[in-house]
Amino acid sequence: MQLLDLFDHSLLARHDRVALEVPDDTGALSTVTFGELETRSNRMARLLAARGMRTGDRLAFLLPNGAAFIDCFLACVKLGVIVVPVNVLYREREIAHILDDASPVAVVTTPTLATSLPSGSVAWEIEAMWRDAAVLDATRMTRALDGECPALIVYTSGTTGRSKGAVLTHNNCMANVLSLVTCWQITSADRYLAVLPLFHVHGLGNGVLTWLATGCRMRLLERFDAAHIAEDFRDFAPKLCFGVPTMYVRLLEVPETNARAIGAHMRLFVCGSAALPAHVLAAFSARFGHTILERYGMSETLMNLGNPYAGERRPGSVGLPFPGVAIRIVDGARHDVPDGTIGELWVRGPNVFRGYWRRPDADAEAFVAATDAPGRAAWFRTGDLAERAGDGYVSLRGRRTDLIISGGFNIYPREIEEVLLERPGIREAAVVGVADERRGELPVAYVVADDDASVAALDADCRSLLASFKVPRAFVRVEALPRTALGKVQKHLLPPWPCP
Ligand code: MCA
Ligand code: AMP
């Protein structure tokens, strides 16, 4: 079985129903039926095949949210071409690593985004692809695929500063879709407002895949824009929306009467990618009349746990495992801890990825062989710290590594520190996350520098080298970094920011 088998319930069986609505540059909406998605992606698949793409080849997507992303994605699903989504906010340095590592045949992109590509990249311009595909045969072109074939390689920020590609198979994606559709009762009658970027698992693996599997109607926005989001809710009257905590914080700014009207047609708000503060959950419930359903996932595993659809959605908890997901919470000696004790969360299930792309060293660190029964899949160490209550609800309690999550985007301090240390006059650097009401956390850098001028240059340097969300909000010059006797930086002893 492959993903297409799930999508055929929509692409073939509901071919005359509107699948997608997307605003164009002027704000006017165009609609696409499932039947049109089928023929457009068939043509695109023929174009990819004519350009020599074989099953198992990689194709990188540096594309904004839009119909073109969907057509190309479906074409790849049909051919067994592995999609490598790339964050459109990334700069050349960040993209170069992904392209080096995944070695895609080409990068599908737009003229504007192509300016961020490293020189020598093979860029396929999407509009030109469209023109070339339009004259090709619209009948279906597929290749027989096994469920274990990779569908996606998703790059996750690496603890070492070098991001790793998580290989997600068709089976992983199908397991995730079936869990979400069942647990959140998503049907063809839903109307899904898609506001998340499609280059991450949240928008793609949860949003696009459940939409295609259920045949509901999706309005796809280029991005979440707090200034206009209330209008989209009003016009489209969605029933379903997925978001990160920052989006829910921004939605609290919607005037009370509009919020009530939005709440009246909505069926389910889901939140994930970062912790949803309990006070935001409460304020949202008071304003919109809905208790947000918080869930927990990772690029490597898609969704692991979630609060129940029918049942208590507990503030501060990520709920219970999705069907087929087994969890363990273990101490440093790898023994299960009793309920109510914090340990590292391990998961196993049909959703858990196959491994990191060409990184057996990272696999060896991430997976622990199962000892409970011969032949059982290994446990994946999430790196997240968690605690299980006596009734099974799990709450996350931080991370083993010092990940910063800002607006739902992950930032590994080490990557920024490496950039800072390459700058002239910077001798030492430490980056930490500071609390921010709106974005959850913001990165702040502490540096030991030769002079003030070196520090003053850092903001512009970081802006040219790093995605905007990774650029430290402040660069604080210190005499020395606090270190242990063994030389390890003690980030918790850095002076608080803003400095007095
Ligand atoms: C943010 N910016 C963007 C986008 N998002 N630019 C273009 N396209 C985007 N999609 C830039 C803005 O240009 C601006 O840059 C800065 O980010 C802040 O934008 P602002 O309008 O002030 O936004 P905000 O109100 O703070 O909201 C930001 C946001 C964004 C819309 C919530 O952070 C976002 O889309 N987050 C979603 C991330 C996500 O999908 N995470 C899932 C990964 P400048 O500062 O230069 O002006 S985790 C995952 O997938 C796992 C599996 C899971 O569990 O879900
Ligand atoms: P990524 O690998 O980029 O997909 O990010 C996954 C990480 O996001 C997880 O390991 C968690 O640390 C974090 N995360 C996802 N959902 C939640 C949530 N509901 N609460 C807290 N952290 C979350």
Side-chain angles (χ1 to χ4, degrees), residues 391-417:
D391 59 5
Y393 276 68
V394 173
S395 297
L396 297 181
R397 300 283 185 232
R399 283 188 61 91
R400 217 160 31 91
T401 55
D402 53 355
L403 170 72
I404 300 169
I405 307 184
S406 187
F409 288 119
N410 286 5
I411 304 170
Y412 274 95
R414 175 76 183 270
E415 184 190 357
I416 306 174
E417 289 160 5

mmCIF file of all heavy atoms in Angstrom, residues 391-417:
data_model
loop_
_atom_site.group_PDB
_atom_site.id
_atom_site.type_symbol
_atom_site.label_atom_id
_atom_site.label_comp_id
_atom_site.label_asym_id
_atom_site.label_seq_id
_atom_site.Cartn_x
_atom_site.Cartn_y
_atom_site.Cartn_z
ATOM 1 N N ASP A 391 -3.200 8.563 35.695
ATOM 2 C CA ASP A 391 -4.271 8.211 34.755
ATOM 3 C C ASP A 391 -3.787 8.193 33.307
ATOM 4 O O ASP A 391 -4.597 8.176 32.381
ATOM 5 C CB ASP A 391 -5.460 9.168 34.919
ATOM 6 C CG ASP A 391 -5.073 10.621 34.676
ATOM 7 O OD1 ASP A 391 -3.912 10.876 34.293
ATOM 8 O OD2 ASP A 391 -5.925 11.504 34.866
ATOM 9 N N GLY A 392 -2.471 8.234 33.094
ATOM 10 C CA GLY A 392 -1.933 8.052 31.746
ATOM 11 C C GLY A 392 -1.629 9.329 30.984
ATOM 12 O O GLY A 392 -0.923 9.296 29.976
ATOM 13 N N TYR A 393 -2.144 10.464 31.428
ATOM 14 C CA TYR A 393 -1.864 11.720 30.714
ATOM 15 C C TYR A 393 -0.378 12.067 30.877
ATOM 16 O O TYR A 393 0.168 12.005 31.982
ATOM 17 C CB TYR A 393 -2.711 12.871 31.276
ATOM 18 C CG TYR A 393 -4.105 12.949 30.699
ATOM 19 C CD1 TYR A 393 -5.053 11.969 30.981
ATOM 20 C CD2 TYR A 393 -4.489 14.016 29.889
ATOM 21 C CE1 TYR A 393 -6.339 12.044 30.457
ATOM 22 C CE2 TYR A 393 -5.779 14.101 29.370
ATOM 23 C CZ TYR A 393 -6.695 13.116 29.656
ATOM 24 O OH TYR A 393 -7.969 13.190 29.148
ATOM 25 N N VAL A 394 0.226 12.474 29.752
ATOM 26 C CA VAL A 394 1.657 12.779 29.764
ATOM 27 C C VAL A 394 1.854 14.290 29.650
ATOM 28 O O VAL A 394 1.149 14.961 28.890
ATOM 29 C CB VAL A 394 2.358 12.065 28.583
ATOM 30 C CG1 VAL A 394 3.819 12.499 28.456
ATOM 31 C CG2 VAL A 394 2.248 10.549 28.748
ATOM 32 N N SER A 395 2.799 14.804 30.421
ATOM 33 C CA SER A 395 3.157 16.228 30.308
ATOM 34 C C SER A 395 4.627 16.325 29.961
ATOM 35 O O SER A 395 5.446 15.567 30.498
ATOM 36 C CB SER A 395 2.913 16.958 31.629
ATOM 37 O OG SER A 395 1.529 16.907 31.927
ATOM 38 N N LEU A 396 4.968 17.249 29.066
ATOM 39 C CA LEU A 396 6.374 17.446 28.702
ATOM 40 C C LEU A 396 7.012 18.375 29.727
ATOM 41 O O LEU A 396 6.380 19.312 30.212
ATOM 42 C CB LEU A 396 6.486 18.043 27.295
ATOM 43 C CG LEU A 396 5.945 17.166 26.166
ATOM 44 C CD1 LEU A 396 6.118 17.852 24.810
ATOM 45 C CD2 LEU A 396 6.638 15.800 26.132
ATOM 46 N N ARG A 397 8.275 18.107 30.040
ATOM 47 C CA ARG A 397 8.959 18.872 31.088
ATOM 48 C C ARG A 397 10.321 19.367 30.623
ATOM 49 O O ARG A 397 11.287 19.300 31.367
ATOM 50 C CB ARG A 397 9.146 17.997 32.337
ATOM 51 C CG ARG A 397 7.862 17.485 32.949
ATOM 52 C CD ARG A 397 7.180 18.580 33.747
ATOM 53 N NE ARG A 397 6.015 18.078 34.441
ATOM 54 C CZ ARG A 397 4.813 18.643 34.367
ATOM 55 N NH1 ARG A 397 4.627 19.726 33.638
ATOM 56 N NH2 ARG A 397 3.811 18.142 35.038
ATOM 57 N N GLY A 398 10.423 19.776 29.363
ATOM 58 C CA GLY A 398 11.710 20.302 28.880
ATOM 59 C C GLY A 398 12.413 19.292 28.000
ATOM 60 O O GLY A 398 11.807 18.308 27.550
ATOM 61 N N ARG A 399 13.692 19.566 27.740
ATOM 62 C CA ARG A 399 14.428 18.702 26.813
ATOM 63 C C ARG A 399 15.789 18.343 27.372
ATOM 64 O O ARG A 399 16.338 19.049 28.195
ATOM 65 C CB ARG A 399 14.632 19.428 25.484
ATOM 66 C CG ARG A 399 13.405 19.467 24.625
ATOM 67 C CD ARG A 399 13.733 20.017 23.276
ATOM 68 N NE ARG A 399 14.717 19.193 22.574
ATOM 69 C CZ ARG A 399 14.390 18.192 21.758
ATOM 70 N NH1 ARG A 399 13.152 17.879 21.536
ATOM 71 N NH2 ARG A 399 15.333 17.500 21.167
ATOM 72 N N ARG A 400 16.296 17.241 26.868
ATOM 73 C CA ARG A 400 17.638 16.814 27.244
ATOM 74 C C ARG A 400 18.667 17.786 26.632
ATOM 75 O O ARG A 400 19.701 18.047 27.197
ATOM 76 C CB ARG A 400 17.853 15.407 26.685
ATOM 77 C CG ARG A 400 18.642 14.480 27.538
ATOM 78 C CD ARG A 400 18.393 13.018 27.153
ATOM 79 N NE ARG A 400 18.085 12.782 25.764
ATOM 80 C CZ ARG A 400 18.971 12.511 24.810
ATOM 81 N NH1 ARG A 400 20.251 12.470 25.091
ATOM 82 N NH2 ARG A 400 18.588 12.266 23.574
ATOM 83 N N THR A 401 18.355 18.289 25.435
ATOM 84 C CA THR A 401 19.263 19.214 24.770
ATOM 85 C C THR A 401 18.693 20.625 24.891
ATOM 86 O O THR A 401 17.537 20.795 25.251
ATOM 87 C CB THR A 401 19.367 18.868 23.275
ATOM 88 O OG1 THR A 401 18.055 18.851 22.744
ATOM 89 C CG2 THR A 401 20.023 17.520 23.070
ATOM 90 N N ASP A 402 19.537 21.649 24.570
ATOM 91 C CA ASP A 402 19.060 23.019 24.816
ATOM 92 C C ASP A 402 18.392 23.628 23.584
ATOM 93 O O ASP A 402 18.796 24.666 23.087
ATOM 94 C CB ASP A 402 20.190 23.904 25.359
ATOM 95 C CG ASP A 402 21.422 23.877 24.479
ATOM 96 O OD1 ASP A 402 21.435 23.093 23.494
ATOM 97 O OD2 ASP A 402 22.363 24.628 24.746
ATOM 98 N N LEU A 403 17.371 22.954 23.091
ATOM 99 C CA LEU A 403 16.593 23.449 21.954
ATOM 100 C C LEU A 403 15.798 24.696 22.346
ATOM 101 O O LEU A 403 15.222 24.753 23.417
ATOM 102 C CB LEU A 403 15.622 22.332 21.522
ATOM 103 C CG LEU A 403 14.542 22.672 20.502
ATOM 104 C CD1 LEU A 403 15.156 22.869 19.123
ATOM 105 C CD2 LEU A 403 13.513 21.546 20.445
ATOM 106 N N ILE A 404 15.777 25.682 21.440
ATOM 107 C CA ILE A 404 14.924 26.864 21.633
ATOM 108 C C ILE A 404 13.798 26.752 20.606
ATOM 109 O O ILE A 404 14.057 26.433 19.446
ATOM 110 C CB ILE A 404 15.726 28.168 21.369
ATOM 111 C CG1 ILE A 404 16.915 28.288 22.330
ATOM 112 C CG2 ILE A 404 14.824 29.401 21.456
ATOM 113 C CD1 ILE A 404 17.897 29.402 21.944
ATOM 114 N N ILE A 405 12.543 26.980 21.004
ATOM 115 C CA ILE A 405 11.454 26.969 20.028
ATOM 116 C C ILE A 405 10.838 28.362 19.999
ATOM 117 O O ILE A 405 10.322 28.836 21.004
ATOM 118 C CB ILE A 405 10.384 25.896 20.341
ATOM 119 C CG1 ILE A 405 11.035 24.512 20.515
ATOM 120 C CG2 ILE A 405 9.345 25.836 19.222
ATOM 121 C CD1 ILE A 405 10.049 23.369 20.724
ATOM 122 N N SER A 406 10.927 29.023 18.847
ATOM 123 C CA SER A 406 10.440 30.395 18.713
ATOM 124 C C SER A 406 9.381 30.448 17.617
ATOM 125 O O SER A 406 9.674 30.155 16.456
ATOM 126 C CB SER A 406 11.612 31.315 18.365
ATOM 127 O OG SER A 406 11.200 32.655 18.397
ATOM 128 N N GLY A 407 8.161 30.771 17.987
ATOM 129 C CA GLY A 407 7.061 30.811 17.013
ATOM 130 C C GLY A 407 6.810 29.447 16.384
ATOM 131 O O GLY A 407 6.276 29.367 15.287
ATOM 132 N N GLY A 408 7.232 28.382 17.041
ATOM 133 C CA GLY A 408 7.048 27.030 16.494
ATOM 134 C C GLY A 408 8.214 26.589 15.631
ATOM 135 O O GLY A 408 8.241 25.456 15.166
ATOM 136 N N PHE A 409 9.184 27.480 15.396
ATOM 137 C CA PHE A 409 10.384 27.097 14.637
ATOM 138 C C PHE A 409 11.472 26.673 15.624
ATOM 139 O O PHE A 409 11.704 27.370 16.624
ATOM 140 C CB PHE A 409 10.917 28.277 13.810
ATOM 141 C CG PHE A 409 10.064 28.627 12.618
ATOM 142 C CD1 PHE A 409 9.461 29.881 12.502
ATOM 143 C CD2 PHE A 409 9.883 27.721 11.588
ATOM 144 C CE1 PHE A 409 8.687 30.207 11.396
ATOM 145 C CE2 PHE A 409 9.112 28.044 10.468
ATOM 146 C CZ PHE A 409 8.508 29.285 10.370
ATOM 147 N N ASN A 410 12.150 25.567 15.311
ATOM 148 C CA ASN A 410 13.198 25.091 16.204
ATOM 149 C C ASN A 410 14.536 25.773 15.917
ATOM 150 O O ASN A 410 14.903 25.967 14.762
ATOM 151 C CB ASN A 410 13.412 23.585 16.018
ATOM 152 C CG ASN A 410 12.283 22.797 16.628
ATOM 153 O OD1 ASN A 410 11.309 23.380 17.094
ATOM 154 N ND2 ASN A 410 12.410 21.487 16.637
ATOM 155 N N ILE A 411 15.239 26.070 17.001
ATOM 156 C CA ILE A 411 16.545 26.723 16.877
ATOM 157 C C ILE A 411 17.509 25.967 17.779
ATOM 158 O O ILE A 411 17.241 25.815 18.977
ATOM 159 C CB ILE A 411 16.473 28.190 17.375
ATOM 160 C CG1 ILE A 411 15.389 28.963 16.609
ATOM 161 C CG2 ILE A 411 17.823 28.870 17.269
ATOM 162 C CD1 ILE A 411 15.099 30.338 17.203
ATOM 163 N N TYR A 412 18.616 25.502 17.204
ATOM 164 C CA TYR A 412 19.647 24.886 18.044
ATOM 165 C C TYR A 412 20.733 25.911 18.309
ATOM 166 O O TYR A 412 21.387 26.398 17.393
ATOM 167 C CB TYR A 412 20.198 23.615 17.401
ATOM 168 C CG TYR A 412 19.328 22.437 17.753
ATOM 169 C CD1 TYR A 412 18.321 22.013 16.916
ATOM 170 C CD2 TYR A 412 19.475 21.807 18.986
ATOM 171 C CE1 TYR A 412 17.493 20.966 17.261
ATOM 172 C CE2 TYR A 412 18.650 20.760 19.351
ATOM 173 C CZ TYR A 412 17.659 20.340 18.481
ATOM 174 O OH TYR A 412 16.848 19.320 18.850
ATOM 175 N N PRO A 413 20.936 26.289 19.598
ATOM 176 C CA PRO A 413 21.911 27.324 19.938
ATOM 177 C C PRO A 413 23.274 27.071 19.298
ATOM 178 O O PRO A 413 23.937 27.996 18.855
ATOM 179 C CB PRO A 413 22.005 27.221 21.460
ATOM 180 C CG PRO A 413 20.695 26.660 21.877
ATOM 181 C CD PRO A 413 20.243 25.763 20.774
ATOM 182 N N ARG A 414 23.644 25.808 19.224
ATOM 183 C CA ARG A 414 24.972 25.470 18.706
ATOM 184 C C ARG A 414 25.182 26.002 17.284
ATOM 185 O O ARG A 414 26.266 26.477 16.945
ATOM 186 C CB ARG A 414 25.107 23.942 18.753
ATOM 187 C CG ARG A 414 26.349 23.365 18.167
ATOM 188 C CD ARG A 414 27.559 23.539 19.088
ATOM 189 N NE ARG A 414 28.734 23.005 18.418
ATOM 190 C CZ ARG A 414 29.149 21.758 18.516
ATOM 191 N NH1 ARG A 414 28.504 20.913 19.300
ATOM 192 N NH2 ARG A 414 30.218 21.346 17.868
ATOM 193 N N GLU A 415 24.145 25.954 16.478
ATOM 194 C CA GLU A 415 24.274 26.427 15.094
ATOM 195 C C GLU A 415 24.579 27.930 15.069
ATOM 196 O O GLU A 415 25.442 28.394 14.312
ATOM 197 C CB GLU A 415 22.981 26.149 14.315
ATOM 198 C CG GLU A 415 23.110 26.539 12.855
ATOM 199 C CD GLU A 415 21.796 26.515 12.085
ATOM 200 O OE1 GLU A 415 20.759 26.145 12.660
ATOM 201 O OE2 GLU A 415 21.818 26.891 10.907
ATOM 202 N N ILE A 416 23.881 28.685 15.922
ATOM 203 C CA ILE A 416 24.110 30.143 15.966
ATOM 204 C C ILE A 416 25.492 30.429 16.556
ATOM 205 O O ILE A 416 26.226 31.292 16.081
ATOM 206 C CB ILE A 416 23.011 30.841 16.794
ATOM 207 C CG1 ILE A 416 21.635 30.457 16.249
ATOM 208 C CG2 ILE A 416 23.191 32.350 16.777
ATOM 209 C CD1 ILE A 416 20.491 30.968 17.071
ATOM 210 N N GLU A 417 25.845 29.662 17.593
ATOM 211 C CA GLU A 417 27.155 29.869 18.222
ATOM 212 C C GLU A 417 28.275 29.658 17.205
ATOM 213 O O GLU A 417 29.254 30.408 17.171
ATOM 214 C CB GLU A 417 27.320 28.912 19.424
ATOM 215 C CG GLU A 417 26.423 29.305 20.597
ATOM 216 C CD GLU A 417 26.173 28.168 21.593
ATOM 217 O OE1 GLU A 417 26.769 27.073 21.433
ATOM 218 O OE2 GLU A 417 25.360 28.364 22.524
#
